[in-house]
Amino acid sequence: MRNFYGVSLRNPFMLGTAQYPSPAILEEAFRKSDAAVATVSLRREQGQGQAFWGIIKSLDVHVLPNTAGCYSAREAITTAHMARELFETNWIKLEVIGHGDTLQPDPFGLLEAAEALVADGFEVFPYTTEDQVLGQRLLDAGCQVLMPWGAPIGSGLGLNNRYGLTSYRAAFPDVPLVIDAGLGLPSHAADALEMGFDAVLLNTAVAQAGDPVKMAEAFAMAIRAGQIGGTADPMEPREMAAPSTPVIGKAWL
Amino acid sequence: MKIEINGEPREMEARTISEALDELGLADAKVATALNGDFVPKALRGSQTLRDGDKLEVLAPMQGG
């Protein structure tokens, strides 16, 4: 598996920590998922932050703080600096949102923030679209990982633009690519790994399932299957049938 | 002196960010601070003075996707 800023993950599963029915279910879902990375955020201290941090520290995960909810480069940059001090990591999942309905990244703000943060020593994981021009600009800015969306955050629609994502994978063969956002089912994750993506990042699909712990396990299995299948040199699809049972030697009946 | 802390106006005795955190009972809490939109590193909280009308953000680890 490709590494992420020099870190080799034990598996390609990055899982969010929001929206679980309870802290206990969050913890159990993480254990079942065996996710290697946990995304976290910063919010105004209202008394629960300290306990939450205790849970995250008890999980065997790399912490990836996000800049969720930021609508400008400036906000995202300040948030990233606060996250770096708080979580003691240079990793930042950079989100600069352009529109409240789609939660689509603002490509201009994203690039501006990425340039500033890379210059400040951050290791940026940009949440982006499948736009290859933007992808190249983010790489030029010093990003060493790209995270194109599968579909809008929280939509559960899966890989909305398979052509675009296949083409994105082909355009950046040596860059670690993570499908971030929009996955709803384990099969979506398997699909992403089979297509050659290096990891998936999801939250709502597990946290908002009726049984988050079971769903976390299902995603873990699908991700594993997709990863192995994707590297096993899959057959080429074809339009016509081709018998799998030998034709020669069939009885004359 | 009136300081807006996490969006709420408060009357504070504190003259620095460190003192403000003390006053809020967050001296030992795992938090990060920003003053008027700019990040203030932990090491500078003691020397960063507060002025009437300042906006102080005190953020903690939270669930995120």
Side-chain angles (χ1 to χ4, degrees):
Chain A
M1 185 169 39
R2 291 179 184 84
N3 67 37
F4 300 86
Y5 292 100
V7 175
S8 175
L9 302 177
R10 68 171 176 269
N11 65 49
F13 194 176
M14 304 183 179
L15 184 58
T17 56
Q19 300 182 314
Y20 291 82
S22 73
I25 292 176
L26 157 74
E27 220 175 323
E28 187 55 21
F30 261 86
R31 298 205 192 286
K32 281 284 185 204
S33 74
D34 197 33
V37 172
T39 55
V40 295
S41 74
L42 297 96
R43 287 292 180 262
R44 288 170 167 173
E45 172 57 79
Q46 290 174 322
Q48 302 119 23
Q50 314 302 312
F52 169 68
W53 181 237
I55 294 175
I56 297 304
K57 274 196 301 188
S58 77
L59 303 171
D60 179 22
V61 289
H62 294 275
V63 171
L64 176 58
N66 69 27
T67 63
C70 291
Y71 278 79
S72 70
R74 183 174 193 268
E75 254 186 300
I77 291 166
T78 301
T79 304
H81 278 96
M82 295 174 88
R84 176 158 70 177
E85 182 181 87
L86 203 55
F87 297 109
E88 295 167 35
T89 174
N90 286 327
W91 281 15
I92 191 77
K93 175 184 164 182
L94 183 59
E95 291 183 39
V96 182
I97 300 300
H99 195 282
D101 288 343
T102 56
L103 298 180
Q104 179 168 343
D106 167 2
F108 310 100
L110 180 67
L111 184 60
E112 184 188 340
E115 283 169 346
L117 291 172
V118 169
D120 259 325
F122 283 87
E123 294 171 330
V124 178
F125 292 65
Y127 162 62
T128 182
T129 63
E130 69 276 34
D131 183 321
Q132 288 177 31
V133 177
L134 175 57
Q136 187 57 54
R137 291 289 201 96
L138 289 165
L139 295 176
D140 294 344
C143 295
Q144 295 175 28
V145 174
L146 296 171
M147 303 210 295
W149 63 353
I153 295 171
S155 69
L157 292 170
L159 305 178
N160 230 2
N161 179 1
R162 284 183 60 88
Y163 162 74
L165 290 169
T166 304
S167 164
Y168 201 82
R169 176 69 280 182
F172 305 115
D174 301 320
V175 178
L177 300 180
V178 183
I179 294 290
D180 175 13
L183 303 187
L185 291 168
S187 53
H188 297 155
D191 199 9
L193 271 295
E194 284 166 0
M195 285 164 68
F197 286 94
D198 299 289
V200 291
L201 196 169
L202 57 115
N203 189 155
T204 312
V206 166
Q208 294 287 291
D211 187 337
V213 176
K214 198 188 262 187
M215 191 57 89
E217 186 179 12
F219 265 99
M221 294 166 86
I223 287 166
R224 182 88 182 114
Q227 184 189 26
I228 297 174
T231 55
D233 191 14
M235 65 169 282
E236 284 300 322
R238 47 184 289 166
E239 296 290 326
M240 298 294 290
S244 50
T245 303
V247 177
I248 295 171
K250 184 183 176 297
W252 184 260
L253 301 170
Chain B
M1 176 162 62
K2 200 164 254 178
I3 306 287
E4 199 176 301
I5 297 173
N6 287 349
E8 286 184 26
R10 294 179 69 137
E11 198 59 46
M12 300 290 287
E13 299 286 323
R15 293 176 174 280
T16 65
I17 293 182
S18 288
E19 289 173 18
L21 293 179
D22 276 344
E23 208 172 321
L24 295 165
L26 294 171
D28 300 320
K30 193 169 181 65
V31 292
T33 51
L35 188 63
N36 302 321
D38 291 321
F39 170 56
V40 180
K42 198 170 184 176
L44 297 182
R45 287 180 198 159
S47 55
Q48 180 63 60
T49 52
L50 296 171
R51 290 183 196 168
D52 197 50
D54 272 353
K55 292 180 196 305
L56 177 65
E57 292 285 342
V58 182
L59 304 190
M62 207 58 68
Q63 293 85 347

